Amino acid sequence: MQITIKQHERLLIREHKLQEDEHARILNESAINLRAAGKLYVAMLAGIDELRGNVILRFSSKRPFPRRNEHITAIVAAREHNDPSRWQHTTYRTIQAKAQRFCELVAVWYRFEENDRLVIGFRGATANFLADLPPGTALILGPQEPPTAYLENLISLLQDAHLYPRFQDTVSIDVSGKTWNPEPLTNDSTTSLLLSAQLALHRDIIIQGPPGTGKSFLIANLCADFLRQGKKVLVTALTNTALMELAEKDGLTDFLQLGSVYKTSLSTDESKRLPKLREGADYAHLPGTLLLCSYYKLSEKTRLATGAQFDLVIVEEASQAFLATIGAARHLGEQCVIVGDQMQLQPIRATTDGDIEHPSLKKAFNGLSTLADSELTTSKFILQQTFRLPPYSTYLTNAFYGGRLQSVQPQLKPLHYPPAFPVPEKSVHLIELLMAAGVKAPQNAIAQVTQLTGELHRLNLKATIAVLSFYVVTVKELQQRIYADLGYSERVTVETIDRIQGLTVDVCILLIPNNGLNFSLNPNRFNVATSRARHRTIIVLPNDLDVDELEPRVKKYLTEAKQEY
């Protein structure tokens, strides 16, 4: 079956409308109600962290405050809206309409103070937002706007698809086949040269990179090879986090020092972190330069480009790219390398499967999987060595990779575990608890996870720990309990699965409540959650979980793990 351009266009128009409608509902909500629900926050500017470039805001710890890694819109409101006690009959839309300036921020660190005060550091602030903003300025923080401008660019490309041949080829491919049979690829210092040779034969390459296989290392080396030849390279990713991690790789150090690496929407904290990284607005398409940009900026550049603008375009985090996003990348580059993992998180969308006019149209959302299964690109590889996962974790994770993955993890210094905690030789451990059905925040499980996190934190002074779950309400409860026990620790991440792709820690604790298990145990989401840890993955799950009812790959993973206990 072939997806028509019109079907594709209707699909994204519907997605755009659903996102706009949901945001309109929030905008029209009472500001008082949003604040009471923990969706709107009031803060005071405390200053700037000169070392890290973070903007520092002060909150009352007696009221809800942003959770770590929460993406929010910061607003310098009109004076009439600075006092929440005067918000009667005021909607979030009214506050935004009269606001003086906006900025997208992400909460990254916390410090509790006396008198029920809390200081939070945020990344993402721009110089324009902070300009002439004095300490003591009142700020309102609320939900981010959805990526409607990104969707509008993709819809515009679809409407004029005949002007963008490589884009048109991508979005109208035959989606009925399944030809994913990649060649195994070893990731070392010579791999990028092998891929460069492949690109002399094929305009496009797809690389599947399972957890911990060194995707960013490989991308950095491939960029360096092209930059040394005086080529123009663009790397695009969904998140700024992925772009910054790439910019910090050793393979790009020399080019960074030369001022050859640019990034769009460079924030103050990113400039502090990498002083030699240049603002993408100054990019002039000079030979031997690299531009890092988001999917949104990619779609914007493609819409304005009549032909290829770069010698090489690399799509990072490609599992979260729409098919149209990959089409935009193919149009913008003479050659294109698409790097991701079909078994990681898929694009977030408002459109449900029931909203789609034909089941095959789902493939327009899952760009990497769709392109990988097509015959449009014939040069396909899988990175087969994981440097992160220990052997037993790799063995279980191979349920999602058909046995292709091999552990080459170096020998690690052992961690210390609580005396009461059973420590088998295996790197995946299950804790089965009685959990009431339908409860997203089971208190007995949260108490045990909190205790275990605290003990691991105190016994291992350098170890990093992730505590993960699937629902925001579960995570908020975990954050409250764990931070009350430990205070804020940069070594402990408590987060939902959808926000941690790419994370590597020493120990990962996954809490699976007895609620909505088809959602929680979706194979992609489960695979992301269970492939973060270098040392040990601890899964806390209901003791009456019927694994026979689960998706086959998840069933295989848990069945094998259960046999150890």
Side-chain angles (χ1 to χ4, degrees):
M1 174 187 172
Q2 200 166 28
I3 300 175
T4 69
I5 299 291
K6 282 298 180 185
Q7 284 177 321
H8 209 138
E9 181 186 337
R10 287 197 300 270
L11 190 70
L12 293 192
I13 288 173
R14 181 172 182 80
E15 175 68 18
H16 183 278
K17 184 178 186 306
L18 289 170
Q19 292 194 18
E20 273 202 330
D21 288 351
E22 174 59 20
H23 190 59
R25 185 189 65 76
I26 294 171
L27 288 174
N28 293 328
E29 184 81 31
S30 158
I32 291 175
N33 291 346
L34 287 174
R35 190 183 188 208
K39 297 179 181 179
L40 203 64
Y41 316 101
V42 178
M44 181 180 294
L45 178 64
I48 306 297
D49 179 346
E50 295 297 338
L51 179 64
R52 291 176 283 195
N54 300 139
V55 59
I56 304 171
L57 304 183
R58 182 169 282 114
F59 297 79
S60 167
S61 62
K62 288 187 173 181
R63 284 191 167 273
F65 50 83
R67 61 193 175 98
R68 188 180 179 191
N69 292 326
E70 183 173 355
H71 293 240
I72 53 180
T73 297
I75 301 169
V76 179
R79 183 173 298 178
E80 64 196 84
H81 294 141
N82 284 341
D83 183 358
S85 67
R86 300 173 61 189
W87 282 359
Q88 289 84 358
H89 312 297
T90 300
T91 64
Y92 186 36
R93 185 186 296 277
T94 304
I95 292 173
Q96 283 210 353
K98 296 186 178 183
Q100 299 174 30
R101 60 182 92 172
F102 300 84
C103 189
E104 306 297 335
L105 299 178
V106 183
V108 291
W109 59 260
Y110 297 71
R111 185 175 71 241
F112 292 90
E113 298 183 332
E114 295 178 351
N115 301 319
D116 299 316
R117 294 295 176 186
L118 168 67
V119 168
I120 303 179
F122 292 82
R123 62 176 170 84
T126 61
N128 287 340
F129 179 77
L130 296 174
D132 304 319
L133 207 60
T137 299
L139 296 176
I140 297 172
L141 294 85
Q144 267 192 331
E145 290 191 19
T148 50
Y150 167 47
L151 288 169
E152 287 161 9
N153 286 335
L154 295 181
I155 291 166
S156 175
L157 288 170
L158 287 164
Q159 291 170 339
D160 295 321
H162 64 283
L163 300 176
Y164 312 97
R166 295 249 292 162
F167 174 83
Q168 186 175 28
D169 288 347
T170 308
V171 297
S172 56
I173 61 175
D174 186 341
V175 299
S176 58
K178 191 170 181 65
T179 63
W180 181 245
N181 186 27
E183 296 180 48
L185 192 63
T186 299
N187 194 1
D188 56 33
S189 58
T190 65
T191 307
S192 61
L193 297 175
L194 183 152
L195 293 176
S196 295
Q198 280 291 312
L199 285 167
L201 304 173
H202 306 274
R203 289 189 71 180
D204 306 297
I205 293 176
I206 297 177
I207 302 170
Q208 183 180 16
T213 51
K215 295 183 287 292
S216 296
F217 168 84
L218 176 59
I219 291 171
N221 287 345
L222 185 59
C223 288
D225 289 344
F226 272 70
L227 294 175
R228 277 190 284 268
Q229 300 171 47
K231 304 289 188 179
K232 293 175 292 183
V233 181
L234 180 144
V235 177
T236 185
L238 179 70
T239 64
N240 283 315
T241 300
L243 295 174
M244 288 300 292
E245 287 177 355
L246 175 63
E248 291 176 319
K249 292 298 180 186
D250 290 344
L252 293 177
T253 299
D254 291 345
F255 300 100
L256 199 63
Q257 294 302 314
L258 289 170
S260 301
V261 183
Y262 297 73
K263 181 185 175 296
T264 59
S265 305
L266 192 64
S267 65
T268 55
D269 56 283
E270 290 170 346
S271 293
K272 289 282 187 180
R273 187 168 154 190
L274 290 176
K276 294 289 188 178
L277 185 60
R278 301 179 68 177
E279 168 55 54
D282 299 328
Y283 185 75
H285 288 271
L286 296 176
T289 55
L290 167 64
L291 178 63
L292 309 174
C293 76
S294 65
Y295 289 168
Y296 163 59
K297 289 294 185 181
L298 168 79
S299 68
E300 189 175 66
K301 287 181 176 296
T302 305
R303 192 169 57 83
L304 301 173
T306 55
Q309 303 291 302
F310 295 86
D311 298 294
L312 175 65
V313 171
I314 300 176
V315 183
E316 164 70 303
E317 299 184 313
S319 72
Q320 299 186 69
F322 294 149
L323 186 58
T325 309
I326 296 176
R330 293 184 72 237
H331 174 78
L332 211 57
E334 289 288 351
Q335 296 173 306
C336 188
V337 176
I338 301 145
V339 184
D341 182 3
Q342 300 92 305
M343 288 311 304
Q344 298 283 293
L345 296 176
Q346 302 290 335
I348 296 173
R349 54 182 167 98
T351 307
T352 66
D353 289 353
D355 292 327
I356 297 174
E357 61 182 87
H358 189 282
S360 292
L361 290 178
K362 288 190 295 184
K363 297 187 176 184
F365 285 120
N366 301 334
L368 175 61
S369 297
T370 302
L371 195 63
D373 287 340
S374 78
E375 296 181 358
L376 187 65
T377 303
T378 57
S379 187
K380 306 174 184 180
F381 298 91
I382 182 171
L383 296 171
Q384 62 179 1
Q385 295 174 316
T386 176
F387 302 90
R388 177 195 303 160
L389 299 180
Y392 184 62
S393 297
T394 303
Y395 166 71
L396 294 178
T397 301
N398 261 322
F400 304 100
Y401 297 101
R404 292 187 175 103
L405 202 55
Q406 305 165 10
S407 175
V408 291
Q409 185 195 65
Q411 185 68 37
L412 300 175
K413 183 179 179 180
L415 296 182
H416 302 288
Y417 292 87
F421 183 72
V423 187
E425 294 179 2
K426 304 299 184 183
S427 57
V428 175
H429 179 69
L430 304 186
I431 299 176
E432 298 182 286
L433 298 177
L434 177 65
M435 297 188 206
V439 177
K440 292 182 178 179
Q443 293 303 303
N444 63 322
I446 287 173
Q448 184 150 343
V449 169
T450 300
Q451 179 182 351
L452 179 57
T453 303
E455 291 174 334
L456 287 169
H457 184 265
R458 286 182 278 271
L459 287 169
N460 301 279
L461 299 181
K462 294 184 178 180
T464 54
I465 304 167
V467 180
L468 308 178
S469 197
F470 305 97
Y471 299 105
V472 171
V473 65
T474 319
V475 167
K476 284 190 172 182
E477 183 76 15
L478 284 164
Q479 285 183 336
Q480 182 178 349
R481 298 280 286 275
I482 290 171
Y483 293 158
D485 178 39
L486 297 178
Y488 170 72
S489 170
E490 291 190 354
R491 294 194 288 114
V492 178
T493 298
V494 186
E495 195 47 274
T496 57
I497 311 301
D498 294 341
R499 290 188 181 273
I500 53 84
Q501 186 159 303
L503 177 73
T504 299
V505 292
D506 293 310
V507 178
C508 179
I509 304 172
L510 171 64
L511 172 56
I512 304 174
N514 196 359
N515 181 84
L517 293 173
N518 286 334
F519 167 79
S520 301
L521 298 177
N522 164 279
N524 293 66
R525 193 172 285 111
F526 182 81
N527 180 39
V528 170
T530 56
S531 58
R532 302 300 99 201
R534 287 182 288 248
H535 284 267
R536 181 147 309 183
T537 299
I538 300 166
I539 304 174
V540 182
L541 70 167
N543 63 356
D544 58 352
L545 178 66
D546 185 356
V547 294
D548 289 332
E549 297 295 319
L550 303 178
E551 191 274 342
R553 289 164 293 187
V554 178
K555 173 186 174 181
K556 182 177 181 181
Y557 184 108
L558 287 175
T559 299
E560 295 280 356
K562 277 175 173 282
Q563 288 177 358
E564 297 296 323
Y565 302 99

